[in-house]
Amino acid sequence: MTQEKLVDFKDKLGVSEAAALQPEAPAATASNEYAYEQENCGIYPELIEKMNEVSGALFNERKARHKPEDYFKPSDFCKLSEKGSYPLHSAANPGILSLDINRTQTNYL
């Protein structure tokens, strides 16, 4: 946060300079803590407004852009043909890949 926004935020909460410098005392009960969390949770309205402004600006900028004329069209892909095939592995079922030899009877695999 910038210094100005921090000051504005403190003014909205009614926090004075002296109170801002001193640490807050812990809440006396669990219900007070829960009420405090419910009041101060979420995104503050100024941030939501700023996020909406940026989102709108980015959306308009994306809509203003057009794709270049030299992009391929779907009809261009139909004209392509295969010039060669270079398989990296065989599609057939593999043969024996490993053997297990019995330790006591070596004539058994």
Side-chain angles (χ1 to χ4, degrees):
M1 291 178 94
T2 63
Q3 192 69 16
E4 296 168 326
K5 286 186 179 181
L6 185 59
V7 170
D8 291 340
F9 188 69
K10 286 180 182 177
D11 290 340
K12 286 181 184 177
L13 291 176
V15 177
S16 67
E17 291 282 328
L21 294 176
Q22 294 187 7
E24 293 183 26
T29 64
S31 62
N32 287 347
E33 282 185 29
Y34 181 76
Y36 178 78
E37 287 176 7
Q38 290 300 316
E39 283 181 20
N40 297 314
C41 69
I43 301 173
Y44 53 94
E46 291 84 7
L47 182 58
I48 293 173
E49 182 180 324
K50 181 67 175 174
M51 289 169 60
N52 287 335
E53 288 174 13
V54 170
S55 173
L58 290 174
F59 179 77
N60 291 334
E61 188 176 312
R62 283 192 300 270
K63 286 291 183 182
R65 274 191 260 154
H66 299 287
K67 62 182 176 184
E69 294 296 323
D70 59 343
Y71 270 14
F72 285 106
K73 295 174 180 51
S75 59
D76 295 336
F77 289 104
C78 295
K79 299 175 188 173
L80 297 176
S81 63
E82 184 177 342
K83 302 264 180 173
S85 177
Y86 309 100
L88 299 176
H89 59 83
S90 173
N93 290 335
I96 299 171
L97 297 177
S98 64
L99 293 174
D100 188 19
I101 301 173
N102 192 325
R103 289 180 184 221
T104 59
Q105 299 175 345
T106 57
N107 58 340
Y108 290 121
L109 295 176

